Amino acid sequence: MFLKEKLLEIKSVFMAYFKEREAEINGSLLAVLSGENLLFLGPPGTAKTQLAKNICQSIEGGNFFNYLLTSFSTPEELFGPLSLKALEKDEFHRKIDGCLPTAHIALLDEIFKASSAILNSLLTILNEHKYHNGRELVDVPLLSVFGASNELPDENESLEALYDRFLFRYRLSYIQDDENFRDLLFRSPEEFEPAATLRVSAIYELRARAKDMPVDPDVEVIITELRKSLQLQEIEISDRRWKKVIQVLKVAACSSGCPTVDRTMVLLLQHMLWNLPEERETIRKTVFEFAISGGISTEKLCQEAEDLQAAVSIALKNELPVNIICDSCGEEFLLRQEIETHHISHPNHSYTLKAEGSSRIYPYSNLVKKIDSLQEVAGKVSTLSQAQKEIFETELEALVDRMERVKYRFEAERELLKNLMNANIWLSTLDRNEALLLHDTRSTELSELNDLISKSRLMLGVQSRQAKPEPKPALQPAKEAGKREIEKISVSDSGNSVNSFMKGIGSRFKLR
């Protein structure tokens, strides 16, 4: 908890100084804590260098290395000059003091412009934190490398390998809000001073504790299904990145003081899974869909309700309110479809209503209007056969059962979701608000679904069944009772393993 309070203090000072950079600040600190690298994409003058430099100032005793790379940059500029004394002994050795191999945090600007001579050594440093200094293998104390670029690398195998080693990715833009812009120009202090510092030893201790952090069952389900969904959208993520992602989520949960990796941690994946900037919104939307209620689609339920209502409507309209007789050939009809087929073959035939006898003759166009009028007058009373009615009723009640289970779960989990997000210090205000908005949007969709079901009931002439009151789980006083109630809920309206997902929700009640 002491670490959590210190991180919140650091974040608060950073957010007061760096406007509209909450997500980037969260990602920068989390990248340092988890030992992963971070990439900033964006135009010059978006405080990329300043943010990375000040993150380093928050590390007690941390060494910062900053360099602008070009296609003409040489290894000496990053890794240090050759040692002349070593050369006299016929040994290849660099003087690495003050260079990249001795830094705790590094910012490499225009990183994708590095020459191939630099790339080979850079890949080893980024991934294994090792540097081959001649015959000596040096441990590099890097906590994180911040890369910055105005553009993505060209399609090149060596650069793709470099790009893949930056787990966190952020697209920066200039400040948008006018008040934030005025604050930047006229009210922000010239020098940034971190509110607190983190010891390097404390960061390594956190990583060690995070390795044993348990992962909720619903998180395992969400990530597995998320990978499948992204593959269907032709977005491929390397196995190495997925492996690193899990460790980052464990560090995020541990540093937040959470007992397990819960599904609000999954929202952080939006910054770790995209390859191209145009994929960001797609991935963000997909991540949020799966994190909120495990990807259960209320849209799918609404679509099924609309399809059922349309099927009932077609069936009711097909069943004629009275028998129709063709006045021209004497053929009798019970279904509207039969009349339509007859009219196509005999467009000039006229018709009479059996109830009216032959006293009145209707051309086909007038007959259609008369049928619609009679059906409207008949109201919503079903004229379906008993077999048809039973089939529709069975389908309707199955849909009602699923809707009620989802609705109950949504009502039970909103406060839980809110509490989990408040405990997660790595979510931005925007992420919290969007997650709750998505949850409420789905609740609204369930209300619309209820209206569709009511209309279908009315069309079938079926009475609404008496709803059985279900006790809502109390989040604080009766945790075990809440856990049992939540675990009873099972909704089979998606391809997800919903039972596992619900066990994850239940575990949150138990743990809290």
Side-chain angles (χ1 to χ4, degrees), residues 375-427:
Q375 286 179 327
E376 186 176 349
V377 170
K380 306 301 180 181
V381 179
S382 173
T383 57
L384 299 174
S385 67
Q386 187 61 29
Q388 285 179 308
K389 187 175 180 181
E390 288 177 358
I391 291 173
F392 282 126
E393 285 183 15
T394 300
E395 291 291 329
L396 182 62
E397 293 310 315
L399 186 61
V400 169
D401 283 338
R402 292 161 60 194
M403 181 201 71
E404 288 179 351
R405 292 172 184 271
V406 173
K407 184 177 180 181
Y408 170 55
R409 190 181 70 202
F410 267 49
E411 292 172 352
E413 75 168 0
R414 191 185 193 281
E415 193 63 26
L416 171 64
L417 181 64
K418 186 176 179 181
N419 291 338
L420 292 178
M421 288 195 295
N422 287 337
N424 186 348
I425 66 174
W426 302 111
L427 292 180

Side-chain angles (χ1 to χ4, degrees), residues 447-463:
S447 298
E448 296 172 355
L449 174 60
N450 194 52
D451 292 339
L452 289 171
I453 288 175
S454 297
K455 290 179 181 178
S456 296
R457 286 188 184 280
L458 200 58
M459 293 169 65
L460 289 170
V462 178
Q463 294 294 324

Side-chain angles (χ1 to χ4, degrees), residues 30-43:
L30 188 54
V32 172
L33 294 178
S34 57
E36 296 300 336
N37 305 311
L38 179 145
L39 176 67
F40 287 138
L41 282 175

Side-chain angles (χ1 to χ4, degrees), residues 48-77:
K48 298 188 293 291
T49 304
Q50 190 179 16
L51 178 57
K53 183 177 180 179
N54 286 311
I55 289 289
C56 184
Q57 288 181 3
S58 299
I59 309 301
E60 188 176 317
N63 297 322
F64 180 69
F65 180 80
N66 177 25
Y67 204 82
L68 173 63
L69 293 170
T70 69
S71 56
F72 301 103
S73 297
T74 62
E76 286 75 16
E77 297 172 53

